[in-house]
Amino acid sequence: MSSLSWVRGFNATVGRLAPELVASKMHRAFLTPRDLPPRDWELPLLASAERITLRFGLSALRWGQGPAVLLMHGWEGRPTQFAHLIQVLVRAGYGVVALDAPAHGRSPGHEANVVLFARALLEAASELPPLKAVIGHSMGGASALLATQLGLRTEALVTISAPARIIGALRRFAHFVGLPKQARAQFVHMVESSAGMPAAQLDAARYQLDFPGLVVHAADDQMVPSTEAQSIHAAWSGSRLLHLPSGGHSKLLADPQLAEAVLELLGSADLSAAASRRAVTGVGHRPALAS
């Protein structure tokens, strides 16, 4: 029997008798990322990076000079997973900063969640020049959307393989590990308590997204359904949807179509015009959620 089968069997049985115990174990597992080493193809880019430490200990890698582009990887991810995109951005004249999320890489912490990811983006942005763009993969994309509701200012934003609703991600995890109904409800409540925000609020449909953007997803993503991208795009009138036929959850990060679409967004005349309108009218990036 595989370890996953054993976990599912244990949760299904014990979760009916002691739902709080099982929910607590899965809550810890859900918030505690594994430390996964970089792949060989990431190492050259890692060697060429400048390691920087931000004010509160958050670690990041930096490449190039020029308008600032801030990157946030996904759960159990790494900055160098963006290797192809980083190289394209640097060649195009952008300065790229890619974060180690809380409890990932060299950044401090043992547990993380989407709210902590979002606050890390806010911390980084406070120490960087005005941001040309923020790009997030998976949970990094969800946290970037959330960060704009908490005060993050950026001219444009790109989400890649990101969930539209955090409650959906919680339910998928609970189903994946075999939590019965009562334990599932307690698990969601525990995650909400750790994040300090109701999961129902963490939903792109509730956000004010009044800046240009790009929503990217692959049809064969087995971790986050591609319908999530359609939901984000529907809630975000200024976004373009790039639906790739393949690339899974992470391989699409190296897709040339993604890099081309990002450069098109950053170079768009509409981007500068939108930024100017926000500066004149004072509209945009107002916190829509309680922090």
Side-chain angles (χ1 to χ4, degrees):
M1 180 182 292
S2 69
S3 58
L4 178 58
S5 296
W6 186 92
V7 169
R8 286 173 170 167
F10 176 88
N11 287 343
T13 302
V14 179
R16 292 184 176 87
L17 303 172
E20 186 172 357
L21 172 65
V22 169
S24 179
K25 289 175 67 70
M26 291 302 98
H27 165 247
R28 289 195 299 274
F30 183 76
L31 298 184
T32 307
R34 297 171 297 170
D35 185 14
L36 302 179
R39 305 288 183 87
D40 289 346
W41 55 267
E42 299 173 55
L43 296 178
L45 189 70
L46 181 61
S48 69
E50 176 191 3
R51 173 72 64 176
I52 60 176
T53 302
L54 303 178
R55 187 185 308 132
F56 298 108
L58 193 67
S59 187
L61 298 175
R62 181 162 59 192
W63 298 265
Q65 300 288 332
V69 178
L70 180 60
L71 307 183
M72 176 63 92
H73 61 74
W75 187 255
E76 296 182 341
R78 302 170 300 279
T80 45
Q81 288 179 297
F82 290 102
H84 176 72
L85 181 58
I86 291 170
Q87 291 166 339
V88 169
L89 287 169
V90 170
R91 285 198 298 267
Y94 294 97
V96 179
V97 174
L99 301 180
D100 279 343
H104 290 71
R106 297 191 188 180
S107 287
H110 300 288
E111 293 185 350
N113 56 60
V114 68
V115 177
L116 289 176
F117 269 51
R119 295 196 184 284
L121 286 168
L122 289 168
E123 176 189 331
S126 71
E127 298 190 45
L128 296 174
L131 296 177
K132 187 72 173 178
V134 175
I135 303 173
H137 174 241
S138 192
M139 185 187 284
S143 69
L145 289 171
L146 173 60
T148 65
Q149 308 307 292
L150 301 176
L152 179 68
R153 299 183 65 84
T154 178
E155 290 188 33
L157 191 145
V158 180
T159 68
I160 307 166
S161 308
R165 301 169 65 238
I166 297 304
I167 189 65
L170 297 180
R171 288 170 176 163
R172 285 191 293 272
F173 177 83
H175 176 75
F176 180 74
V177 297
L179 290 180
K181 184 176 181 180
Q182 188 174 356
R184 190 184 316 145
Q186 294 201 32
F187 162 74
V188 170
H189 177 70
M190 289 175 182
V191 173
E192 289 177 324
S193 295
S194 296
M197 195 174 291
Q201 288 192 22
L202 306 175
D203 182 343
R206 298 172 62 100
Y207 297 167
Q208 181 181 342
L209 303 172
D210 54 1
F211 43 86
L214 175 66
V215 181
V216 186
H217 221 107
D220 60 349
D221 190 331
Q222 298 298 308
M223 294 185 67
V224 178
S226 60
T227 52
E228 296 289 292
Q230 295 165 1
S231 297
I232 295 172
H233 178 55
W236 188 358
S237 61
S239 68
R240 172 194 170 192
L241 177 61
L242 175 60
H243 196 250
L244 299 174
S246 63
H249 189 64
S250 299
K251 288 184 179 179
L252 80 169
L253 290 171
D255 193 308
Q257 295 179 80
L258 166 61
E260 181 181 351
V262 169
L263 289 184
E264 182 179 347
L265 173 67
L266 270 58
S268 169
D270 292 339
L271 184 59
S272 297
S276 298
R277 285 196 300 271
R278 290 198 302 275
V280 171
T281 63
V283 175
H285 308 295
R286 294 188 300 273
L289 302 176
S291 58

